[in-house]
Amino acid sequence: MNTSDLLIKILKRLKKFRLLILLAGAGMAMLLYLYAKKTKTVYTSRASVFPLTNSSDNSSVNGTLSSILGISEAPKSFSNEAAINIIELATSRTTREAVALEKLGPEFKYKTIGEMLMRTAADKSIDDKSIKIPTDTAELKNKGGTILKSGIAAKINKNGILEINFSSTNEQLVAPVSYKIVDKISDFYKELRIGKAQRDYDFTVKKVDSMDKILDTIDKQAIYLFNTTQFVPSERIEFQIPKENLSSLKERTMRQRDVAANNREEALWRLQKQTPIISILDKPDPPFDVKESSPVFFGVMGFFLGLVLAVIIFSGGLIIKYAETELQKAIFKTPASTETIEIKTETEPPVITAS
């Protein structure tokens, strides 16, 4: 069977089952159309934020937004010492669970974000009591944080600005949740900065106290040496106190103590003025980015996809059989044998004529 015969047989087969092929295309078109109709529209908000801090706290490089937000041109940290990436902070489990426990406004009847996300995922209204909301706080924040995980996205754009996106199928829920996310990131960011300043201050206080104890020890040692000085009874000659080493040690310790005291005052000043603020450049308000599926487009694509699949099913047997035949010919093909033809010449008997 050559290629032209194969095509003729395929066309005859398709003509025979043309009704089934059209029904397969219509069925696939209906399935994809219903899928697109059932798929919910997703609304996405975008908030651009960056921290406002005092530039005097950092060096010329670390005082930039790149250093604060943690991009590649500078150390990925909030400050010189605290290596915490702000993207990890925005998408962390701690932040998500804290947001899930936040309560919304009166338009949502003061329900928690975790409860509203669970109702949205189950396609239930606020007044619907069929959905079971966990009464345990730990379970509620766990489930709410899990749902938030697929809806929150954070990145640093090319200008070094933090962008936070939140997606949900409930359009009314997008903006309030986005603001709560930014607020929680701001709160955690402030806690980290203030906590770092507090630890620096506590360290300098302990350093000064340690230097004071060393100075007290040196003074006590000098007093002890003075009280135990020996005299010669006859001539009243007093031995000299070996105070050279104590004097140099006390002088060196006092210099260290002065440095520690200066560091303490500087740490206290930083702690008093440590009021970081996160400012929102682009607010997560409508209009949102909308992602929806077109039922008509899905229906047309489903019709052509159904036709292709039906054609493959009904003509696949002929194609496979043709391929097997050609493969067997290619594998078991033998060269043609040369045959010798022998020609025998026979002598004719003599013709006898009667005279």
Side-chain angles (χ1 to χ4, degrees), residues 39-302:
T39 303
K40 298 179 181 179
T41 304
V42 179
Y43 303 92
T44 303
S45 65
R46 185 174 69 91
S48 299
V49 299
F50 70 95
L52 299 174
T53 57
N54 295 317
S55 59
S56 60
D57 292 342
N58 298 320
S59 63
S60 59
V61 176
N62 294 328
T64 61
L65 290 175
S66 300
S67 173
I68 296 172
L69 296 177
I71 58 179
S72 57
E73 286 78 4
K76 298 182 178 182
S77 61
F78 290 105
S79 62
N80 295 337
E81 297 83 6
I84 300 176
N85 193 288
I86 195 170
I87 296 180
E88 296 296 330
L89 175 65
T91 58
S92 65
R93 178 180 177 181
T94 302
T95 302
R96 289 186 280 107
E97 291 183 349
V99 172
L101 294 179
E102 288 290 315
K103 292 186 177 181
L104 297 173
E107 64 274 15
F108 298 98
K109 297 184 178 180
Y110 300 101
K111 302 289 186 181
T112 62
I113 292 178
E115 180 178 348
M116 290 304 304
L117 290 175
M118 294 174 63
R119 291 185 179 276
T120 301
D123 198 13
K124 301 292 183 179
S125 63
I126 301 178
D127 298 326
D128 195 344
K129 298 181 180 180
S130 61
I131 183 173
K132 295 182 180 180
I133 304 299
T135 56
D136 185 19
T137 304
E139 185 178 359
L140 178 61
K141 72 178 183 180
N142 186 16
K143 291 185 177 180
T146 302
I147 299 175
L148 274 173
K149 184 177 182 180
S150 60
I152 298 178
K155 68 176 183 178
I156 302 295
N157 63 15
K158 61 182 180 180
N159 296 322
I161 304 299
L162 174 66
E163 291 185 1
I164 301 174
N165 298 328
F166 174 69
S167 302
S168 177
T169 56
N170 188 347
E171 185 178 6
Q172 304 298 326
L173 200 62
V174 175
V177 175
S178 299
Y179 277 106
K180 293 294 184 181
I181 292 172
V182 175
D183 290 341
K184 278 300 172 185
I185 295 175
S186 177
D187 292 340
F188 288 148
Y189 175 69
K190 293 175 183 178
E191 291 178 4
L192 289 170
R193 291 294 300 268
I194 295 174
K196 176 62 173 60
Q198 182 66 50
R199 288 192 294 270
D200 289 343
Y201 174 73
D202 294 339
F203 173 78
T204 56
V205 170
K206 292 180 181 179
K207 183 70 173 178
V208 173
D209 292 341
S210 177
M211 293 293 103
D212 288 336
K213 290 180 181 180
I214 295 175
L215 290 174
D216 292 340
T217 303
I218 294 174
D219 292 338
K220 291 179 180 179
Q221 187 176 2
I223 294 172
Y224 173 78
L225 290 176
F226 181 81
N227 292 333
T228 57
T229 300
Q230 300 296 324
F231 295 91
V232 178
S234 60
E235 301 179 359
R236 305 294 298 177
I237 300 176
E238 181 180 354
F239 291 98
Q240 294 293 328
I241 300 176
K243 59 183 179 180
E244 290 81 5
N245 295 335
L246 288 178
S247 300
S248 60
L249 178 60
K250 184 176 181 179
E251 183 179 355
R252 185 169 63 251
T253 305
M254 289 182 65
R255 288 198 300 267
Q256 295 177 0
R257 194 263 183 196
D258 293 338
V259 172
N262 292 333
N263 292 336
R264 181 188 61 186
E265 296 301 324
E266 182 180 358
L268 178 60
W269 177 72
R270 290 184 179 182
L271 179 61
Q272 291 172 346
K273 71 181 186 65
Q274 189 62 265
T275 55
I277 301 173
I278 285 186
S279 177
I280 302 178
L281 296 180
D282 295 333
K283 296 183 178 181
D285 294 329
F288 305 120
D289 295 335
V290 180
K291 182 180 179 181
E292 56 183 351
S293 302
S294 174
V296 176
F297 174 77
F298 273 77
V300 173
M301 294 299 296

Side-chain angles (χ1 to χ4, degrees), residues 24-37:
M28 183 64 70
M30 183 62 66
L31 288 177
L32 292 184
Y33 179 85
L34 294 177
Y35 170 78
K37 289 287 289 184

